[in-house]
Amino acid sequence: MSASKQDETLLWTPGEPQNYPESPLSKAFAQPLMLGLFLPLQTGGWSQSTLPRGTDWSFDYNARLTQQAEELGFDVVFGLSQWLPKGGFGGETGYRENFLDPFVSTVALAAVTKRILLLGTIHILYGPWHPMHLARFLATADHISQGRFGANIVTGYAENEPRMFGSTKADHDKRYVQSAEFIRICNALWAGTDNLTYQGEFYSLEEAYVSP
């Protein structure tokens, strides 16, 4: 099957996980209230303060925090992503200078948890990302977590972040047009109906397929 930017509607679409009653997402959505924990994967956690605190950006600390959240009945943990220079936001504390990658970290949390949903942020327009990469990585994360991993897909808002990757920030509409095409391709690859040949505005694929 092939698709061009004139016939993107021909791209396959997989079933939504919430349409399957036994999926972890469906079980979470069945709750009258979903509780989530924002993980402190970064120096200073979620507040710019010089006051003493007990939070820690290390993976071991975040793993213990996630396990405690799961025991208390929380439904999801979330990892923020930012790209910052040395010193983070500056100041006395170097706020957010150390920053664990939320994608890698939240996938790793699958090994030490059983029920809680794991959500990590990914900037898909920074660097040489291709939908094939993300489709395979996320399919693998889904397999490892037994359906508990979710990606928070973002295009980036800061001016300095894309410059770290040798590019400049695209205007708002273009970023979202490109990211929409990116996700449509991922969806088609996840559907796995056949090898995918596609020529779009931003991405092209020939006889592409990902597993699991």
Side-chain angles (χ1 to χ4, degrees), residues 139-153:
T140 301
D142 179 75
H143 172 77
I144 292 171
S145 67
Q146 296 183 322
R148 294 186 291 126
F149 184 81
N152 175 39
I153 303 297

Side-chain angles (χ1 to χ4, degrees), residues 14 16-17 48 75 79 86 90 140 150 160 164 178 191:
E16 295 289 339
Q48 301 183 50
D75 299 290
K86 183 174 177 59
T140 301
N160 68 302
M164 293 186 179
Q178 182 174 353

Side-chain angles (χ1 to χ4, degrees), residues 23-25 27-28 31 35 66-77 109-110 112-118 145-149:
S23 76
L25 189 63
K27 293 178 180 178
Q31 304 298 320
L35 293 175
T66 301
Q67 290 170 324
Q68 184 177 17
E70 185 172 61
E71 291 173 2
L72 292 172
F74 278 59
D75 299 290
V76 61
V77 293
L109 288 171
V112 296
T113 55
K114 297 179 179 178
R115 177 194 55 81
I116 199 164
L117 301 179
L118 310 164
S145 67
Q146 296 183 322
R148 294 186 291 126
F149 184 81

Side-chain angles (χ1 to χ4, degrees), residues 13-162:
T13 303
E16 295 289 339
Q18 63 266 30
N19 294 338
Y20 299 90
E22 294 305 311
S23 76
L25 189 63
S26 289
K27 293 178 180 178
F29 279 178
Q31 304 298 320
L33 175 67
M34 291 180 66
L35 293 175
L37 171 67
F38 279 53
L39 294 170
L41 297 172
Q42 57 281 343
T43 305
W46 292 89
S47 61
Q48 301 183 50
S49 174
T50 58
L51 292 175
R53 70 185 68 212
T55 57
D56 182 356
W57 60 267
S58 71
F59 178 77
D60 286 345
Y61 176 83
N62 279 274
R64 292 195 302 271
L65 205 61
T66 301
Q67 290 170 324
Q68 184 177 17
E70 185 172 61
E71 291 173 2
L72 292 172
F74 278 59
D75 299 290
V76 61
V77 293
F78 170 81
L80 168 77
S81 181
Q82 284 183 309
W83 298 88
L84 297 166
K86 183 174 177 59
F89 282 102
E92 181 181 334
T93 64
Y95 183 57
R96 292 187 173 176
E97 177 176 30
N98 285 312
F99 212 125
L100 294 183
D101 181 77
F103 177 29
V104 174
S105 299
T106 47
V107 172
L109 288 171
V112 296
T113 55
K114 297 179 179 178
R115 177 194 55 81
I116 199 164
L117 301 179
L118 310 164
L119 187 62
T121 303
I122 305 172
H123 288 84
I124 61 171
L125 302 185
Y126 293 170
W129 274 102
H130 188 278
M132 283 281 290
H133 288 119
L134 192 67
R136 173 176 278 186
F137 294 164
L138 292 184
T140 301
D142 179 75
H143 172 77
I144 292 171
S145 67
Q146 296 183 322
R148 294 186 291 126
F149 184 81
N152 175 39
I153 303 297
V154 297
T155 66
Y157 71 93
E159 297 289 343
N160 68 302
E161 291 185 339

